[in-house]
Amino acid sequence: MDVFVGNKLFTSFLYPDSLEKPVLYPLRAANGTVVTRGFPLNPQPGDPTDHPHHLGTWFNFENVNGLDFWNNSYAIPKEKKGSYGWIKTDRILATTSGPVGALAYHANWTNQKNEVLLEETTRFEFSGTSRARTIDRITTLKSAVDVTFTDAKDGLLGLRLAHALQMPSDKDEKYTDDKGIVTVVKAGTDRTATGSYLTSAGKRGNDAWSTRGVWCKAYGKMGADSVSVAILDHPKNPNYPTFWHARGYGLFAANPLGEKIFTEGKAAKNLTLKKGESVTFRYCILIDAGPQTLSAKQLNAAAADFAKRTVASK
């Protein structure tokens, strides 16, 4: 399903059975610049090929009743798929056009046997101006069985940035998931990466990772423009303000349920839902392209505005 602002394509909602989760892919700035990584669906020159489950922007979690929804992808061998979860979109609930376009869908979070753990209802609201694009997302998860989100690093709202918005790096990095699988992120050699991060708490670059903030902005130079991709948290979200799982190689995620690893064991946030209970998460993604990136003042104002907005799941 394609989303346009005026006659310009903004993004597409992809939910085929061949993907392990629904995604918005790719995301574009108002000038048409693609701000998310192309790999694995449409690789671009210089694209890193690590973490094939990082696709556009998505919403899932690493440990739900022991199942890993986050790391599931085509790269997982069949014999190991039993440890992973799927998010299967079964129906579109609503689409509306106008000054604000909306898309709502229903999906089931399942195991390999197709047994449902959670029912997801998500509503996107899309809007834009001559230089900006906005996505409001509200996701409600209702438990079909007793469910525990065990505190984990990888979650919850994720986005994989385009190569140019990565932070420059001259050394390979190794990352190990909870199953001991090591992923190597290769150092950049083409000098395309120009990115960095800034949080509402003033943390910059790699220092943004594991810290809390009302918002976080990734920014860099793409072509002639300065591009910002910001994620805003909402005061009604659990464990507000969120922790930022923001990596220099381009993973940009808001994860309020990773407190244990982000605080080095000082605290933990295990979210439990009894059968029939639900939890709702609200996030806003802002994309801006122009002579300068979005300022802290502008982002504080945007976050205050988002906090006042009521977006209802329908």
Side-chain angles (χ1 to χ4, degrees), residues 18-20 39-40 49 51-53 71-77 81:
S18 57
L19 290 180
E20 286 76 8
F39 177 84
T49 57
H51 298 91
H53 50 280
N71 290 290
N72 199 0
S73 78
Y74 67 84
I76 303 299
K81 280 283 197 177

Side-chain angles (χ1 to χ4, degrees), residues 38-277:
F39 177 84
L41 295 188
N42 184 26
Q44 299 300 304
D47 265 0
T49 57
D50 58 86
H51 298 91
H53 50 280
H54 293 172
L55 181 60
T57 182
W58 67 94
F59 183 95
N60 58 18
F61 195 66
E62 180 184 356
N63 192 333
V64 183
N65 283 10
L67 287 179
D68 185 348
F69 287 83
W70 179 275
N71 290 290
N72 199 0
S73 78
Y74 67 84
I76 303 299
K78 185 177 180 180
E79 65 271 16
K80 295 185 178 181
K81 280 283 197 177
S83 298
Y84 295 81
W86 281 256
I87 302 177
K88 300 179 179 180
T89 307
D90 59 357
R91 60 187 183 273
I92 301 299
L93 301 177
T95 59
T96 57
S97 297
V100 175
L103 165 64
Y105 71 88
H106 178 275
N108 293 311
W109 293 39
T110 78
N111 60 18
Q112 194 174 31
K113 298 177 181 177
N114 216 34
E115 297 166 334
V116 178
L117 281 72
L118 295 161
E119 287 191 67
E120 173 185 339
T121 305
T122 287
R123 178 179 174 86
F124 294 112
E125 293 194 350
F126 304 97
S127 58
T129 67
S130 60
R131 63 170 285 170
R133 295 288 184 263
T134 302
I135 303 169
D136 286 357
R137 176 180 187 136
I138 181 166
T139 292
T140 297
L141 303 175
K142 182 179 180 180
S143 58
V145 296
D146 291 355
V147 165
T148 298
F149 293 76
T150 302
D151 190 303
K153 169 172 60 69
D154 288 330
L156 192 60
L157 176 73
L159 188 153
R160 182 62 188 256
L161 297 164
H163 180 35
L165 294 176
Q166 292 177 243
M167 291 177 57
S169 176
D170 59 2
K171 63 178 181 178
D172 294 351
E173 301 282 355
K174 291 184 178 181
Y175 298 93
T176 305
D177 69 14
D178 67 334
K179 300 171 194 62
I181 298 174
V182 177
T183 298
V184 177
V185 178
K186 303 295 290 183
T189 58
D190 57 12
R191 302 195 179 189
T192 300
T194 64
S196 190
Y197 292 104
L198 174 67
T199 76
S200 61
K203 300 295 184 180
R204 293 183 179 273
N206 287 320
D207 290 341
W209 188 82
S210 81
T211 65
R212 287 185 186 264
V214 174
W215 53 260
C216 184
K217 152 181 107 161
Y219 62 99
K221 200 79 171 176
M222 299 188 76
D225 286 324
S226 297
V227 174
S228 304
V229 181
I231 300 175
L232 314 180
D233 198 12
H234 195 284
K236 290 185 178 179
N237 284 344
N239 214 19
Y240 172 88
T242 190
F243 290 93
W244 295 106
H245 185 16
R247 295 292 199 186
Y249 67 80
L251 170 63
F252 184 16
N255 183 13
L257 305 181
E259 188 165 322
K260 185 174 182 179
I261 193 161
F262 296 140
T263 64
E264 298 181 333
K266 295 184 178 69
K269 182 64 177 180
N270 297 309
L271 176 65
T272 299
L273 300 177
K274 296 294 185 182
K275 181 179 179 180
E277 292 182 337

